Amino acid sequence: AHGAALALLLAAALGPARPHPQCLDFKPPFRPPRGLAFCRRYAEFGCCDLRRDRALLQRFYRLSARLDGPTYAACAGHLQDLLCQECSPYAAHLYDAEDPSTPVRTIPGLCQDYCVQVWQKCRSIFHYLSADQELIALENNAAKFCRYLSLEDTDYCFPHLLANQNLNQNLGLVTADAEGCLQLCLTEVANGLCNPVAMVHANDGTHRFFIAEQVGLVWTYLPNRSRLEKPFLNISEAVLTSPWEGDERGFLGIVFHPKFKFNGKVYVYYSVQVHYEERIRISEFRISPADMNALDHGSERIILEIEEPASNHNGGELLFGDDGYLYIFTGDGGMAGDPFGTFGNAQNKSTLLGKVLRIDVNNNDRGPLYRIPPDNPFLNDPKARPEIYAYGVRNMWRCSFDRGEPRTKEGKGRLFCGDVGQNKYEEIDIVEKGKNYGWRAREGFSCYDKKLCMNSSMDDVLPIYAYPHKMGKSVTGGYVYRGCESPNLNGLYIFGDFMSGRLMSLKEDHATGDWQYSEICMGTGQTCMFPGLINNYYQYIISFAEDEAGELYFMSTGVPSATAPHGVVYKVVDTSRRAPPGKCRIEPLPVKVKSKRIPFVPKEKLIMKTPTPRPRLRAVTEAPWGGRTSTTPAPNGRASKPRKGAERRGQRRKKKPPSTAPPLQNGAVRLMQHQNHGQSWGRVEVYIDGEWGTVCDDGWSSLGAAVVCRQLGFPYVVRASKMAEFGEGTSLRILLDDVQCSGQEKTLLECAHADIGTHNCSHEEDAGVVCSPEEVAEW
């Protein structure tokens, strides 16, 4: 990766185009919950439920009643086939409906030989199937008639697609590339956040979600993704953190009491400084009696405080288990190697650091703020703190309870945690009562403190999975997916790495008990070409979350600073198969809102490669500064023919005196990285009427970026960049604003834009691009 702010595109290797099953509602196909009576070919997987199948059957009856006996005998089968293509998993392709903005065909796309066969025997049925007058006018000319009904992409024409192995192999399964990397997609849910460390729900039927920022702000989001202007909680003045990138202190965790709907209690975990001493604090708040979307800031009660000997390894997770108890996950106290005492804090049961704690905060309005659960494992050990549930952990960052398989509840209650490693390994653990998870004796599966590691009395539990630092250096624990909308993901434990930005998954082999690893990539090709989906995210994966319905989310940022507003929340989506229509419908309880609602405006875009398999390249010359500058394309739109001796695309030409370079033409572009010249990424600068200037990011999208990348000889655009990510071009004028491109233009001047030099932006909004000479495997 290059730079913290670059979004990742984890893509598959180049190969044949992947299938893109899609229904006429622009969503993935599904498995009907009940068999289909009419369109039985699609009873196992397709785009029709029983209600739609019955509607098509009724239409068949109405149309066939208009056919005479011989015509019915010859054509009823064809009539059924044509009607049932609405149920095909490729219905959107058959009806040219992949794009919601284009008109839908009235007849599915037919293969030439089949069309001729139907035309010869049954052309009259098209009068009843379609009111398309252009089609009816061609009825007496077989060639023109069938050309009209053909598809540009003949792979998808009926009925040949039924026998197309590429389209039908693994249909309905999670798409994977040649290396087994699972191809998933995302929906942007929230943006502009300062290091979003947690997202939780109240489990009260409202389906609100609450996002906490490291600085100490918690925001309320309504089910329609609008945010309330008034914070749910603001303890930023009390929270100890800093703008330094990587500072681990701050507001770290939040959880709602399981009976929040009745008692209004919320618990938070944050760093605080008391008399020059750094501590972690667990506090209880109550909901405001005047506003169900705000906590009563005066209701804070400090449940527990623990001194932190160093500023790192602060833990931060809070969870309620099915047992109703509060679980608290602390770090080992910081520094490196847990150097505290003889065996370190994590192995020392007389301290609360490096532990999983379990306390009872129920019915605490009178008496002690918390009690010890009677079955805590070390309750009767005089040398141990009774709050300890498990020990030997270094810095568990993000844990979760498994909701269990939706039908059987298998796996319910398992506690998964990601424990951040020291020098070599990151690990995933399943935490159980009384168990020792090995730190500092062990890091992952290997020994860290060799002397301690050889102590047979440790009886430590090994992780279910560990990975080396060449894959990532700071694990972020996730969730076992148990949602409704992406049934193929059920049982998959999805987690990530903060430093490398890698998304990963584990699947349990029930026969052996082993966990099988699969990497998760962002969908390439057409995998994510559904309305509202994207296939890229910012590198630093901070946390994961579930909503009230069990759908999976993660939070990441391009700048890991508590004060940098670059955090985005993404929802994970599998486009290979969705749940049947209506199965996942939720009806949120009403929310009384007293604060202003701020509508959600998505900013991230689907990353696409620029059009045409082999793009029309512009002649590229080496500018005097050694970067890339485009020249004007040849008049016929083709690449200018290179002079004899010119090297192949992607390699530099031999240096020529500056005077041999062709004169710059209006619309030429170059890329700059801050004050240096870029090669394939940078701030976009455009040459107009004898001067270079910048482009404002108002309206800037991957379509405009595609024009720039193609001008510079790059066939692929990785993403469009905004907010002066590659520095501000303050020494230049802003020449273009409100640029709107279709992606096919030769230069930005051919795109719609404001008058040259007219703008309503500043250099803080300078636009940029990330281009690539090939489809990207990882950025």
Side-chain angles (χ1 to χ4, degrees):
H2 179 88
L6 293 186
L8 297 185
L9 175 60
L10 305 176
L14 287 171
R18 290 189 180 86
H20 183 234
Q22 187 179 21
C23 300
L24 289 177
D25 60 0
F26 314 112
K27 296 178 180 179
F30 54 89
R31 185 174 297 162
R34 297 172 61 186
L36 306 183
F38 180 56
C39 300
R40 291 189 292 271
R41 175 179 282 131
Y42 304 113
E44 294 298 319
F45 189 68
C47 293
C48 289
D49 57 10
L50 187 58
R51 182 190 61 81
R52 186 59 193 156
D53 183 65
R54 286 172 176 166
L56 291 172
L57 178 60
Q58 291 303 314
R59 188 181 181 202
F60 173 80
Y61 286 151
R62 290 196 303 272
L63 297 180
S64 59
R66 303 163 112 182
L67 307 179
D68 57 33
T71 304
Y72 179 86
C75 304
H78 292 311
L79 180 60
Q80 180 179 8
D81 281 341
L82 294 175
L83 289 172
C84 284
Q85 292 322 296
E86 283 191 34
C87 301
S88 167
Y90 294 107
H93 296 272
L94 284 161
Y95 287 87
D96 272 345
E98 300 98 326
D99 185 341
S101 65
T102 59
V104 179
R105 301 166 64 118
T106 56
I107 304 292
L110 303 182
C111 302
Q112 181 74 15
D113 53 349
Y114 177 78
C115 178
V116 171
Q117 178 186 346
V118 176
W119 180 86
Q120 289 174 341
K121 298 180 179 179
C122 304
R123 75 187 77 165
S124 62
I125 66 174
F126 291 99
H127 284 274
Y128 309 123
L129 281 169
S130 174
D132 186 342
Q133 294 303 310
E134 286 188 63
L135 176 66
I136 302 305
L138 301 174
E139 181 183 10
N140 295 320
N141 187 317
K144 291 183 178 180
F145 185 86
C146 290
R147 191 180 305 120
Y148 189 86
L149 290 180
S150 66
L151 287 176
E152 186 174 343
D153 188 345
T154 56
D155 284 343
Y156 289 99
C157 70
F158 180 81
H160 292 176
L161 88 166
L162 299 175
N164 188 316
Q165 185 176 4
N166 183 47
L167 294 181
N168 291 285
Q169 188 176 24
N170 298 323
L171 186 62
L173 302 180
V174 178
T175 306
D177 66 12
E179 297 177 355
C181 194
L182 305 181
Q183 306 253 308
L184 299 181
C185 306
L186 305 172
T187 298
E188 184 184 1
V189 172
N191 52 40
L193 293 156
C194 295
N195 264 21
V197 293
M199 171 180 154
V200 294
H201 61 86
N203 197 32
D204 62 354
T206 63
H207 290 268
R208 294 172 293 172
F209 54 97
F210 304 83
I211 300 176
E213 296 179 312
Q214 188 177 350
V215 290
L217 287 162
V218 182
W219 302 100
T220 304
Y221 287 79
L222 302 179
N224 66 359
R225 299 178 186 171
S226 61
R227 176 173 69 83
L228 299 189
E229 185 177 50
K230 179 183 177 182
F232 181 69
L233 177 66
N234 182 358
I235 54 171
S236 55
E237 290 187 6
V239 169
L240 175 64
T241 189
S242 76
W244 304 334
E245 291 190 12
D247 192 340
E248 298 177 21
R249 302 167 301 174
F251 189 102
L252 302 176
I254 179 171
V255 67
F256 284 68
H257 193 283
K259 296 181 179 179
F260 168 78
K261 189 173 181 178
F262 306 103
N263 64 24
K265 292 183 177 181
V266 176
Y267 297 83
V268 300
Y269 185 131
Y270 63 98
S271 304
V272 66
Q273 183 168 311
V274 180
H275 304 304
Y276 303 102
E277 180 181 279
E278 292 188 12
R279 301 178 185 177
I280 53 175
R281 175 180 289 173
I282 314 300
S283 285
E284 174 190 277
F285 287 86
R286 285 181 180 270
I287 199 71
S288 167
D291 188 350
M292 68 182 295
N293 294 302
L295 291 177
D296 179 356
H297 288 63
S299 69
E300 181 176 12
R301 297 198 299 169
I302 299 172
I303 301 295
L304 182 66
E305 281 189 346
I306 306 171
E307 181 184 351
E308 279 283 354
S311 61
N312 59 338
H313 300 184
N314 302 296
E317 185 68 85
L318 291 176
L319 296 173
F320 275 97
D322 291 337
D323 52 18
Y325 298 136
L326 178 63
Y327 290 72
I328 304 168
F329 301 78
T330 66
D332 66 7
M335 298 195 198
D338 194 4
F340 307 101
T342 306
F343 304 114
N345 282 330
Q347 292 298 321
N348 180 2
K349 292 195 287 290
S350 68
T351 177
L352 298 181
L353 293 170
K355 307 296 188 300
V356 179
L357 312 178
R358 184 175 69 159
I359 61 175
D360 182 358
V361 293
N362 296 297
N363 305 311
N364 66 349
D365 293 337
R366 294 191 179 96
L369 292 171
Y370 71 87
R371 298 176 174 85
I372 305 300
D375 62 337
N376 266 19
F378 305 108
L379 182 62
N380 298 315
D381 184 345
K383 296 182 179 180
R385 290 289 299 261
E387 296 93 339
I388 297 173
Y389 180 79
Y391 65 105
V393 306
R394 183 175 179 273
N395 191 37
M396 285 184 165
W397 182 247
R398 294 311 175 232
C399 303
S400 64
F401 281 104
D402 184 0
R403 293 187 178 208
E405 203 281 330
R407 289 182 300 104
T408 67
K409 299 303 178 183
E410 181 182 358
K412 181 175 172 58
R414 292 182 299 181
L415 177 53
F416 289 80
C417 285
D419 198 5
V420 179
Q422 180 67 49
N423 298 323
K424 294 183 178 180
Y425 297 99
E426 307 296 306
E427 67 182 67
I428 300 294
D429 298 298
I430 295 181
V431 176
E432 297 177 343
K433 183 170 67 175
K435 297 296 178 68
N436 178 3
Y437 288 86
W439 176 250
R440 76 182 184 197
R442 199 182 302 276
E443 179 186 12
F445 293 104
S446 71
C447 289
Y448 178 80
D449 182 328
K450 293 185 179 179
K451 183 177 179 180
L452 191 58
C453 191
M454 298 303 170
N455 187 340
S456 60
S457 66
M458 279 193 57
D459 192 27
D460 56 318
V461 177
L462 295 176
I464 62 170
Y465 180 73
Y467 62 91
H469 277 190
K470 67 179 181 180
M471 292 174 60
K473 297 181 179 180
S474 182
V475 67
T476 300
Y479 284 79
V480 178
Y481 180 81
R482 300 298 189 185
C484 174
E485 296 176 9
S486 299
N488 281 340
L489 302 184
N490 181 33
L492 205 64
Y493 177 72
I494 296 177
F495 62 105
D497 188 276
F498 175 78
M499 292 300 296
S500 69
R502 195 182 298 268
L503 283 171
M504 299 170 273
S505 71
L506 298 173
K507 182 79 171 179
E508 186 178 16
D509 184 334
H510 294 286
T512 64
D514 295 333
W515 291 81
Q516 307 298 324
Y517 171 83
S518 293
E519 191 163 336
I520 292 175
C521 301
M522 291 293 96
T524 55
Q526 293 183 311
T527 304
C528 299
M529 289 184 66
F530 291 87
L533 297 191
I534 58 174
N535 60 351
N536 58 97
Y537 58 90
Y538 286 103
Q539 172 179 341
Y540 298 103
I541 300 173
I542 303 172
S543 191
F544 285 79
E546 278 184 329
D547 65 15
E548 196 165 345
E551 298 306 323
L552 182 65
Y553 302 75
F554 71 90
M555 288 141 274
S556 71
T557 183
V559 181
S561 162
T563 57
H566 302 297
V568 181
V569 180
Y570 306 93
K571 181 180 180 180
V572 177
V573 178
D574 170 31
T575 60
S576 65
R577 174 189 162 205
R578 61 166 155 154
K583 181 178 181 181
C584 305
R585 184 181 296 116
I586 60 171
E587 296 182 5
L589 295 177
V591 177
K592 294 180 180 178
V593 174
K594 296 189 175 183
S595 175
K596 179 182 177 182
R597 304 173 195 236
I598 301 174
F600 170 62
V601 179
K603 295 182 179 179
E604 306 303 315
K605 304 293 183 183
L606 180 74
I607 289 178
M608 63 176 190
K609 68 178 184 180
T610 53
T612 72
R614 277 292 153 215
R616 298 171 177 176
L617 302 179
R618 274 59 176 165
V620 176
T621 183
E622 184 173 341
W625 33 261
R628 284 186 181 265
T629 298
S630 74
T631 64
T632 304
N636 60 7
R638 298 178 181 274
S640 300
K641 187 175 180 180
R643 295 189 299 273
K644 185 176 180 181
E647 298 181 27
R648 292 180 296 172
R649 181 175 65 88
Q651 298 180 344
R652 290 187 176 184
R653 296 183 179 189
K654 295 178 181 179
K655 289 191 175 182
K656 304 281 185 181
S659 60
T660 64
L664 290 172
Q665 302 292 322
N666 272 354
V669 290
R670 68 186 183 190
L671 302 183
M672 300 290 287
Q673 297 168 17
H674 296 277
Q675 302 306 316
N676 301 313
H677 296 280
Q679 289 288 330
S680 59
W681 58 82
R683 180 178 64 252
V684 174
E685 294 184 356
V686 60
Y687 185 85
I688 302 174
D689 295 335
E691 70 171 313
W692 287 100
T694 63
V695 179
C696 187
D697 67 13
D698 287 348
W700 187 244
S701 70
S702 54
L703 296 174
V707 174
V708 171
C709 291
R710 197 165 55 249
Q711 269 189 273
L712 294 173
F714 293 101
Y716 300 95
V717 53
V718 178
R719 67 181 177 87
S721 161
K722 296 187 176 184
M723 300 302 292
E725 181 180 332
F726 299 110
E728 299 177 19
T730 52
S731 63
L732 304 175
R733 285 204 304 148
I734 298 173
L735 295 182
L736 288 182
D737 191 9
D738 297 324
V739 178
Q740 301 283 341
C741 303
S742 69
Q744 302 292 333
E745 295 87 350
K746 297 183 178 71
T747 74
L748 293 179
L749 294 181
E750 294 184 8
C751 304
H753 56 78
D755 292 339
I756 304 299
T758 301
H759 60 86
N760 60 356
C761 59
S762 70
H763 282 295
E764 293 178 349
E765 298 167 81
D766 280 347
V769 297
V770 180
C771 307
S772 176
E774 57 188 5
E775 199 164 354
V776 180
E778 180 174 335
W779 185 266

